[in-house]
Amino acid sequence: MDFKKFKAATVQTSPVFLNVEKTVEKAIIFIKEASQNGAQLIAFPEVFVAGYPYWNWIMTPVQGSKWYEKLYKCSVKTDDEAMQPLFQAAKDNNIHIVIGINERGDSYGEIYNTNLIIDNNGILIGKHRKLVPTWAEKLTWTSGDGSSLKVYNTEIGPIGTLACGENTNTLARFTLLSQGELIHVANYISLPVAPPDYNMAEAIKIRAAAHSFEGKLFTIVSCSTVSKETMEALKEDVPNVEELLTRKNSAFSGFIGPNGAVIGEPLIDEEGMVYADIDLEKCIQPKQMHDILGHYNRFDIFDLRVNIAPTRKITFIDNHEEFNKR
């Protein structure tokens, strides 16, 4: 058997707010640096291309409406010309990329929080749409469906991904584990507007550790930061924006091993990129103790069914007999 060993990189930084081309350029700078340092996988934050709808948290829905329009105009489809340099960078630098985007839907009221999985040949091998937008995010994003709950086999091993709060969804996580996931990418945004007693960085770490410990796999966490540029853009509508969007312990990026422990030194709040050596052979021994996909489960008692059919918005029927059966 071939147990993969490789170096991974994870990024903690902010996008160029609502600017797709410049955010892709920024991502490529990190991609080149990671590749030069020997990384074969790089993780970027949630909706990194090109920004998070912070206005949902600090404005009324009416105030935020114009910002939704701006976000829709700079949302992307994967075949957009502006996205092609990203795919080319994966190929040129022989590196796998997991990155979040605001994916434009077919309707003007349709944006998805989507993670792209790009292989080292520059091919988009998969994308995952966040299943349920969290709290105020429902003002912006449309829910994904079960068709994107997949694990992708790559040269470096089987990769799965979930965005931010859905890493709390036990059934979604088990669905990925059941498909042989050994490398999990969990990406987040910094959320300074959380309740005062809520340590966001610690919460991110706990969620990542839980998934790694339960599944006996590696979790890579990438979290964004809130840039001064973002706050300046929103300041006209919210004069005290700095007070609302500045708080310590809002971002955590790093690596968790199959034993649930942090590997190396994570980034907390600070911008940058960190690395870890991943050895999938280290997933074996912990599974001997608790393999919830095998000997440490009772599938004669538990039965999880997952609807992986894509959501169908409309069904056209071209004969009366068939229509009248419904």
Side-chain angles (χ1 to χ4, degrees), residues 20-149:
V20 173
E21 289 78 9
K22 289 191 179 300
T23 297
V24 168
E25 289 174 5
K26 184 173 183 177
I28 291 173
I29 292 171
F30 281 103
I31 290 165
K32 289 179 178 178
E33 180 181 338
S35 177
Q36 290 167 0
N37 288 324
Q40 292 178 268
L41 169 65
I42 184 170
F44 286 94
E46 180 182 22
V47 290
F48 189 65
V49 183
Y52 179 82
Y54 282 107
W55 53 87
N56 287 347
W57 299 91
I58 60 175
M59 297 182 195
T60 68
V62 174
Q63 283 179 302
S65 182
K66 69 177 183 181
W67 288 98
Y68 173 87
E69 183 174 342
K70 291 179 181 181
L71 182 66
Y72 185 84
K73 289 177 178 177
C74 75
S75 59
V76 296
K77 286 183 178 289
T78 56
D79 58 357
D80 284 356
E81 184 177 348
M83 293 294 293
Q84 300 319 300
L86 191 66
F87 300 117
Q88 189 64 44
K91 181 179 181 180
D92 291 345
N93 293 279
N94 191 32
I95 193 169
H96 299 76
I97 302 169
V98 179
I99 188 169
I101 67 169
N102 286 283
E103 183 189 8
R104 186 172 69 255
D106 295 326
S107 166
Y108 288 175
E110 191 178 21
I111 307 174
Y112 295 96
N113 177 331
T114 300
N115 282 343
L116 305 182
I117 304 94
I118 305 166
D119 73 8
N120 58 325
N121 295 308
I123 297 171
L124 178 66
I125 58 174
K127 62 180 183 180
H128 169 68
R129 290 172 168 176
K130 191 173 186 177
L131 297 177
V132 182
T134 304
W135 203 350
E137 294 173 357
K138 293 179 175 67
L139 291 167
T140 292
W141 292 318
T142 299
S143 295
D145 58 42
S147 66
S148 70
L149 275 177

Side-chain angles (χ1 to χ4, degrees), residues 9 65 114 126-127 203 206 220 222-223 254:
S65 182
T114 300
K127 62 180 183 180
I206 289 170
I220 303 169
S222 176
C223 187

Side-chain angles (χ1 to χ4, degrees), residues 9-26:
T10 189
V11 176
Q12 183 158 284
T13 191
S14 60
V16 181
F17 190 54
L18 302 186
N19 189 316
V20 173
E21 289 78 9
K22 289 191 179 300
T23 297
V24 168
E25 289 174 5
K26 184 173 183 177

Side-chain angles (χ1 to χ4, degrees), residues 277-295:
D277 292 317
I278 307 295
D279 180 358
L280 297 186
E281 187 173 343
K282 292 183 178 178
C283 298
I284 300 174
Q285 194 277 332
K287 281 182 176 286
Q288 184 182 9
M289 295 183 288
H290 303 116
D291 183 9
I292 61 173
L293 305 171
H295 70 81

